[in-house]
Amino acid sequence: MFITPYFPRFRSAPISIPVLMPVLLCLTLALTIGTAEAQLFWKKKPAPSITINAPEPVKSLLQTHFQAPAAPLTDEFARAAFERRAHREIRELLATEGYFNPTIAVLPAPPDKPPVLEVIPGPQTLVAVISIEVKGDLAIKEPGRLARIEKLRAAWPLRTGQPFRSLMWDEAKALLLSSVTSEEYPAAQIEESRAEVDAASSQARLWVTVNSGPAVRYGPLIIKGLSRYDESLIRGLAPFKTGDPYKRDELLAFQTKLQNMPQFSSAVVHIDTDPVVHQAAPVEVVLSEAQTQRVSIGAGYSSNTGARGEINYTNNNLLDDAVRFNSVLRLEQKRQTLAATLDSVPNQAGRWFSLGGTAERTSIQNLDTIREKVGMGRNQLSGNTETRLAINWQREDRDPKGGVHSVNQTLALDGLLRYRSVDNPLFPRDGSVTELRVAGGSKQVLSDQDFVRTYARHQFWYPVGDRHVLFLRGELGYTFAPSRFGIPQEYLFRAGGIQSVRGYPFQSLGVQEGSAVVGGRVLATATIEYNHWVTQNWGAAIFTDIGDAADTWHRLDPVVGYGGGIRWRSPVGPLALDLARGHRDGKLRMHFSIAVAF
């Protein structure tokens, strides 16, 4: 029996004053911050107490790291005290850049001018000799070890003929030690490091000796902190077995996998580096179990679907078998959803299976739909790549105002590939996300229409300086089918609204059927957006969107939306408040989304 007669029929409602309060608050804060920034920018800077005369980039180094006098040097006593401090601090500062024979003087100036700090850095010291020696097990004359030593020497970044800088010297030693400890030798140490500088010839001779210690192999897995779960759950996730050579990346990946599991609030993985047990070093796993069951509620608002409230129930140990059960009831003005999923524990390869069901009602652009869906899938997360292969059955009651009422069903095979490479998953500034999806159904197998849906989306963030970010987005979709009729809306396309074409209402771009807008078989949209961050958390953006959805390519009529908005890195996630103009109808529309969990 289907739930159509019993599902509540919510209708769109006008936006009330309480809903607009977050918008007004964001605008007020943004204007206040912008005014404060402008006042600081235009504030008159005090006159400098000294003038620095030095070649670039030494001048920039001094301006950044050397503290000028807080007050003008009005007498000889103040000038002499400053000159003594300048000699001491500037020599130390220039030595870090390889200048060991600088000439430093404070020159007098006319009464109306500040004194001149003249710095002649002298010749920069260059690296003349590099010696990297290895002791311990790694020094055994064996082809594999010899090749690894040569690889370590070839990767040494501070080359002969390069300037000798303290920072690069320290970084080179740290990189060398990290490379040795990454595989087999976690207890390796730098036994000796020496840099001899000949100031007369401006040359530096470098010596480094690394003691690898003994080669370490994995021993028994010692698990602590479990009370609800069996140790076999953890042992099955370990990417190594007893006797394998130690690899740091394996251990870190194992720890990260455990930390990401909802069953645990924390996880620490550590190997014993005592040379006595190097042939079978114990691996200790210390776990803290998370709360098994959790109920949470939340509220929010989006210009796409209106105000919303939701309640979520999660059980991380269903049937005492570490199976995760998650359910949510979400009520929005234009969409109401009841969903539940069961997820198995990801295995060593990051693969898990899921089973779920959804009941959903929408009322968008005069198209009312009620959808019931069940499905099962095979999911995998490997590094930056996420894949999903699922089989879904769904029934959709479709009622466009002024159009043809119909009930469609399909059994679809659905494949997803997503590659994510960004510097920050929540607030990306550099990187990209690519998503590919293919789905299809057949009349021969529980579907009302033959179809194959294809979809591609690419998002790209590029940093411009310290405070600017260029964002590009593009998406294409095409559903191969004799007709759009008989295909559920999930496998067709509409456009408009947030993350689509701003300046037009949510899903208002598509195929006109009566007075409703329904999904078509073709989609193409794109975005170019430029963000400027005024402070760490507040920014502004300008953008242009273009795109459309239609039933065929020759009916595709891309529209343009453009405008600007405010950006906020809120504690609960990114917030965007945009005012956009739809070029087709000339109307201004606001796009906004925020969510709060309780």
Side-chain angles (χ1 to χ4, degrees):
M1 181 173 65
F2 298 111
I3 68 168
T4 304
Y6 306 99
F7 210 99
R9 293 184 173 266
F10 287 79
R11 294 292 180 184
S12 301
I15 300 175
S16 61
I17 294 298
V19 172
L20 288 177
M21 286 300 292
V23 179
L24 298 176
L25 177 62
C26 292
L27 285 171
T28 303
L29 287 173
L31 290 173
T32 302
I33 292 171
T35 302
E37 291 273 333
Q39 290 175 347
L40 290 173
F41 179 80
W42 291 108
K43 186 177 180 180
K44 186 177 180 180
K45 296 181 180 179
S49 56
I50 60 167
T51 298
I52 297 177
N53 183 18
E56 291 288 352
V58 171
K59 184 176 181 180
S60 298
L61 178 71
L62 297 176
Q63 289 173 336
T64 304
H65 298 286
F66 178 70
Q67 184 176 2
L73 305 176
T74 55
D75 53 51
E76 287 300 319
F77 178 78
R79 177 180 165 183
F82 169 71
E83 189 165 5
R84 285 194 299 272
R85 179 172 71 86
H87 274 270
R88 182 180 69 255
E89 294 182 4
I90 293 177
R91 283 183 179 276
E92 293 176 357
L93 186 60
L94 292 180
T96 64
E97 293 294 304
Y99 298 102
F100 293 94
N101 283 317
T103 301
I104 304 167
V106 179
L107 306 179
D112 58 336
K113 298 288 185 181
V116 177
L117 175 62
E118 184 175 70
V119 178
I120 302 174
Q124 192 173 28
T125 300
L126 304 180
V127 177
V129 176
I130 301 170
S131 175
I132 300 175
E133 299 299 328
V134 177
K135 294 182 179 180
D137 182 83
L138 184 56
I140 295 175
K141 296 188 181 300
E142 180 267 332
R145 290 176 172 84
L146 293 174
R148 185 173 176 185
I149 291 174
E150 289 306 313
K151 187 177 179 180
L152 292 171
R153 288 170 174 162
W156 177 264
L158 192 53
R159 302 288 184 178
T160 302
Q162 290 184 342
F164 174 72
R165 295 185 172 94
S166 297
L167 180 60
M168 290 188 65
W169 168 233
D170 292 338
E171 288 179 348
K173 290 185 291 182
L175 178 62
L176 174 65
L177 184 60
S178 177
S179 298
V180 176
T181 58
S182 64
E183 294 184 14
E184 296 190 80
Y185 306 106
Q189 294 180 340
I190 292 183
E191 192 173 271
E192 182 185 9
S193 67
R194 188 170 78 256
E196 293 184 358
V197 176
D198 185 349
S201 62
S202 299
Q203 291 185 338
R205 297 173 178 85
L206 312 179
W207 287 270
V208 181
T209 301
V210 179
N211 191 331
S212 69
V216 174
R217 294 186 175 274
Y218 293 115
L221 200 62
I222 301 172
I223 302 171
K224 299 179 180 179
L226 288 183
S227 61
R228 305 188 190 102
Y229 308 102
D230 191 86
E231 287 191 358
S232 60
L233 173 66
I234 310 303
R235 297 184 187 280
L237 297 176
F240 51 82
K241 60 182 182 293
T242 301
D244 287 349
Y246 163 83
K247 293 182 180 179
R248 183 175 58 210
D249 288 348
E250 284 183 343
L251 219 59
L252 291 175
F254 184 33
Q255 178 174 282
T256 301
K257 188 178 296 182
L258 295 175
Q259 289 173 339
N260 290 338
M261 291 178 64
Q263 287 83 4
F264 305 109
S265 58
S266 67
V268 177
V269 180
H270 172 73
I271 190 169
D272 191 343
T273 58
D274 189 337
V276 176
V277 295
H278 71 94
Q279 293 182 339
V283 178
E284 186 178 74
V285 180
V286 181
L287 301 166
S288 178
E289 295 180 344
Q291 185 177 349
T292 302
Q293 301 183 66
R294 180 181 178 186
V295 177
S296 60
I297 59 175
Y301 175 80
S302 167
S303 55
N304 279 358
T305 53
R308 77 172 180 267
E310 66 178 60
I311 182 168
N312 183 284
Y313 169 73
T314 301
N315 188 327
N316 294 323
N317 192 26
L318 189 67
L319 303 177
D320 293 326
D321 198 27
V323 173
R324 189 172 193 237
F325 173 76
N326 186 70
S327 62
V328 61
L329 173 63
R330 182 179 296 116
L331 302 178
E332 301 168 278
Q333 288 178 270
K334 299 180 182 179
R335 179 170 57 197
Q336 301 83 48
T337 306
L338 175 64
T341 58
L342 289 171
D343 291 294
S344 66
V345 176
N347 64 11
Q348 180 180 324
R351 188 182 306 116
W352 75 97
F353 294 89
S354 60
L355 176 67
T358 303
E360 182 179 77
R361 182 184 186 279
T362 66
S363 181
I364 302 171
Q365 296 299 319
N366 290 323
L367 173 63
D368 293 341
T369 64
I370 293 181
R371 179 171 63 109
E372 296 113 1
K373 177 180 177 180
V374 293
M376 61 184 301
R378 172 189 175 277
N379 315 276
Q380 185 165 6
L381 183 61
S382 177
N384 294 330
T385 303
E386 176 186 351
T387 59
R388 174 178 171 82
L389 182 62
I391 184 166
N392 303 304
W393 176 88
Q394 70 171 275
R395 175 187 181 275
E396 180 184 79
D397 186 309
R398 169 186 176 277
D399 187 13
K401 188 175 181 180
V404 178
H405 177 271
S406 62
V407 177
N408 307 315
Q409 70 173 10
T410 187
L411 181 68
L413 190 64
D414 197 334
L416 169 72
L417 170 65
R418 183 182 292 119
Y419 179 80
R420 187 190 306 272
S421 178
V422 293
D423 58 341
N424 186 321
L426 194 58
F427 304 109
R429 188 173 181 271
D430 187 7
S432 63
V433 177
T434 302
E435 180 179 317
L436 302 174
R437 186 173 176 181
V438 178
S442 171
K443 287 183 179 180
Q444 306 299 320
V445 189
L446 300 178
S447 295
D448 292 337
Q449 180 65 278
D450 296 326
F451 72 94
V452 175
R453 180 189 187 269
T454 59
Y455 175 79
R457 179 186 180 98
H458 182 72
Q459 300 175 92
F460 177 75
W461 292 265
Y462 181 76
V464 182
D466 295 331
R467 291 178 172 263
H468 303 263
V469 179
L470 176 66
F471 170 65
L472 303 174
R473 178 194 62 84
E475 62 177 350
L476 286 172
Y478 185 72
T479 299
F480 296 87
S483 167
R484 72 175 186 276
F485 293 103
I487 303 176
Q489 294 296 297
E490 180 181 348
Y491 301 106
L492 297 171
F493 303 100
R494 286 190 285 179
I498 300 171
Q499 297 182 342
S500 183
V501 185
R502 287 161 290 187
Y504 301 87
F506 179 52
Q507 293 192 352
S508 63
L509 304 176
V511 178
Q512 197 74 32
E513 188 174 320
S515 60
V517 177
V518 302
R521 293 179 294 148
V522 174
L523 170 75
T525 72
T527 291
I528 180 169
E529 180 173 303
Y530 196 81
N531 292 271
H532 169 64
W533 290 96
V534 181
T535 67
Q536 180 68 25
N537 295 319
W538 285 91
I542 55 173
F543 58 84
T544 298
D545 299 333
I546 185 172
D548 193 18
D551 207 30
T552 59
W553 286 115
H554 74 271
R555 291 183 181 177
L556 199 70
D557 183 17
V559 296
V560 176
Y562 47 85
I566 297 171
R567 301 291 179 266
W568 178 35
R569 293 189 176 107
S570 79
V572 295
L575 178 146
L577 173 63
D578 293 323
L579 184 63
R581 180 181 186 271
H583 188 71
R584 175 182 284 177
D585 57 16
K587 293 183 178 180
L588 289 172
R589 293 180 175 89
M590 188 168 289
H591 300 276
F592 177 71
S593 178
I594 189 171
V596 178
F598 300 99

